Amino acid sequence: MAASSDSAAETSVNGGCNNLSLPSIMSSFYPITLKFIDVCYRVKAESESKKPRGSSIKKIFSGGPTSSSDVENPAEMIRERTILNGITGTVVPGQLLAILGPSGSGKSTLLNALAGRLHHGRGLTGTIICNDQKFTKPILERTGFVAQDDVLYPHLTVRETLIFCSLLRLPNSLSKKEKISITESVISELGLAKCENTVVGNSFLRGISGGERKRVSIGHEMLINPSLLILDEPTSGLDSTAAFRLVVTLAALAKKGKTLVMSVHQPSSRVYQMFDSVLVLSEGRCIYFGKGDEAMSYFESIGFSQSFAMNPAEFMLDLANG
Ligand SMILES: Nc1ncnc2c1ncn2[C@@H]1O[C@H](COP(=O)(O)OP(=O)(O)OP(=O)(O)O)[C@@H](O)[C@H]1O
């Protein structure tokens, strides 16, 4: 699918900076619909009861076999572990999909699969398509992935960090001035203007807040003007107000025509109501996929009703935990 231009989207991507005339990479509009059908991910795991022989210290602690005769069939030593089991869903431009689930339920694995970071033939099965086709180079170039653990240089300011990234990541066809103007629009769009000259910092060097740090990580990806933005737990480690503000920013990005998928561990109820759709994972299986505001009535219809009014996310996490 060829990139098409859309004047409404062009205006919005400017983030209100109408005085900036941005180069085409920031103004082109390339909507992406992501569909995933029956996605499974299996990894090979060594059987605890059939570990191979050897004199390793592990064997002493695990009480494993002591001689070669203990393992009769080496093939039996390998068993499969299913991390994701038959996950199906879709997310369209303008929507924010939240993947909810307890720790270890498979959220990060699913996000990696959806971002094209896991490959068929290496444990991944099922179909993942963007605009009805498999991941193509233009789609991958339009896909941003914000990992849970960000690596930022502590001594650079926010502005320096993003300019440095834009100089490295944006195509050589853009001039330095154009790259800086893109960086400035991203700083403005993500509400980083007030801290743009503050150093990022780390545990030894006082710098920007946790919420601002997450925004800088998102800014790294926003520089490429992604149509599909996938974020692994962007609110982790933030207080409820900072988490809410960040999700408001993400929802605003979605409303501008981007397709957003994020994982979240335990959202507050006001964060939850920002999600257009939710997918709840429990031990690698999907127990709900649909509109966020219809989840409670669905669970009620199958006999799981709450005894008192509570945060829907909390209720579903209790169910997902069994
Ligand atoms: N390549 C792998 N090999 C073995 N086990 C794996 C692999 N990838 C993931 N797992 C396991 O799959 C399960 C799901 O992991 P995943 O990181 O997707 O969970 P999560 O829901 O994102 O957890 P958290 O909220 O704690 O980050 C975990 O038990 C993890 O140890």
Side-chain angles (χ1 to χ4, degrees), residues 39-45 80-87 104-110 118 123 281-285:
V39 172
C40 297
Y41 184 63
R42 295 184 186 88
V43 292
K44 291 206 173 7
E80 276 194 335
R81 183 175 165 204
T82 302
I83 311 286
L84 295 174
N85 200 341
I87 312 295
S105 57
K107 301 181 296 297
S108 301
T109 309
L110 179 59
L118 299 180
L281 286 177
S282 171
E283 293 180 0
R285 290 174 186 274

Side-chain angles (χ1 to χ4, degrees), residues 228-247:
L228 172 62
L229 185 58
I230 297 179
L231 308 102
D232 195 358
E233 306 233 8
T235 57
S236 73
L238 301 186
D239 63 54
S240 127
T241 309
F244 175 66
R245 286 190 184 144
L246 185 67
V247 178

Side-chain angles (χ1 to χ4, degrees), residues 23 28 54 67 112 123 127 139 172 230 238 245 248 253 291 303 313 315:
S28 56
S67 74
N112 277 291
T127 309
I139 285 172
N172 291 336
I230 297 179
L238 301 186
R245 286 190 184 144
V248 167
L253 292 177
K291 289 185 177 171
F315 178 71

Side-chain angles (χ1 to χ4, degrees), residues 21-321:
S21 93
L22 294 176
S24 60
I25 189 168
M26 286 302 286
S27 53
S28 56
F29 184 60
Y30 190 109
I32 290 181
T33 295
L34 174 69
K35 284 186 196 157
F36 41 103
I37 304 154
D38 198 20
V39 172
C40 297
Y41 184 63
R42 295 184 186 88
V43 292
K44 291 206 173 7
E46 211 177 305
S47 169
E48 276 303 312
S49 59
K50 299 194 174 186
K51 287 215 166 134
R53 68 199 172 96
S55 59
S56 75
I57 195 146
K58 268 190 189 171
K59 196 180 71 184
I60 298 166
F61 283 105
S62 66
T66 52
S67 74
S68 58
S69 61
D70 288 334
V71 178
E72 283 167 9
N73 179 5
E76 284 179 27
M77 293 188 310
I78 307 294
R79 61 185 171 86
E80 276 194 335
R81 183 175 165 204
T82 302
I83 311 286
L84 295 174
N85 200 341
I87 312 295
T88 296
T90 182
V91 53
V92 299
Q95 269 195 350
L96 171 57
L97 164 67
I99 316 272
L100 264 73
S103 186
S105 57
K107 301 181 296 297
S108 301
T109 309
L110 179 59
L111 292 182
N112 277 291
L114 299 184
R117 295 174 145 219
L118 299 180
H119 299 285
H120 283 88
R122 291 189 215 157
L124 181 70
T125 58
T127 309
I128 301 171
I129 46 175
C130 289
N131 297 343
D132 293 326
Q133 49 183 305
K134 296 214 163 132
F135 282 100
T136 56
K137 196 162 175 260
I139 285 172
L140 284 173
E141 282 171 355
R142 287 288 182 161
T143 302
F145 188 91
V146 181
Q148 202 170 339
D149 304 311
D150 45 8
V151 182
L152 300 171
Y153 191 71
H155 295 280
L156 292 184
T157 65
V158 168
R159 186 181 165 83
E160 286 164 349
T161 301
L162 293 174
I163 288 179
F164 184 55
C165 181
S166 74
L167 295 177
L168 287 176
R169 281 190 86 180
L170 293 178
N172 291 336
S173 54
L174 297 178
S175 67
K176 191 175 169 190
K177 202 172 154 202
E178 286 172 323
K179 290 179 183 180
I180 290 174
S181 93
I182 288 174
T183 310
E184 281 166 352
S185 81
V186 167
I187 287 175
S188 149
E189 188 163 31
L190 291 178
L192 287 168
K194 67 176 185 337
C195 63
E196 66 176 325
N197 294 315
T198 308
V199 289
V200 168
N202 58 16
S203 43
F204 302 106
L205 175 68
R206 181 66 212 153
I208 55 175
S209 71
E212 288 163 344
R213 198 181 164 89
K214 293 280 178 191
R215 284 169 195 265
V216 174
S217 300
I218 295 168
H220 269 154
E221 298 306 304
M222 287 296 293
L223 289 169
I224 58 154
N225 188 21
S227 298
L228 172 62
L229 185 58
I230 297 179
L231 308 102
D232 195 358
E233 306 233 8
T235 57
S236 73
L238 301 186
D239 63 54
S240 127
T241 309
F244 175 66
R245 286 190 184 144
L246 185 67
V247 178
V248 167
T249 304
L250 295 176
L253 292 177
K255 289 291 162 282
K256 291 175 180 177
K258 294 186 189 300
T259 308
L260 265 83
V261 184
M262 63 175 273
S263 63
V264 58
H265 192 232
Q266 211 158 18
S268 64
S269 44
R270 61 181 179 157
V271 163
Y272 180 86
Q273 52 89 29
M274 306 290 303
F275 302 143
D276 298 298
S277 50
V278 298
L279 190 157
V280 186
L281 286 177
S282 171
E283 293 180 0
R285 290 174 186 274
C286 173
I287 61 167
Y288 178 79
F289 171 68
K291 289 185 177 171
D293 55 8
E294 290 175 2
M296 295 311 281
S297 46
Y298 164 75
F299 283 111
E300 218 171 291
S301 74
I302 58 168
F304 296 98
S305 42
Q306 42 184 345
S307 41
F308 57 91
M310 65 191 288
N311 176 357
E314 216 175 311
F315 178 71
M316 288 190 284
L317 279 174
D318 282 350
L319 290 180
N321 272 312

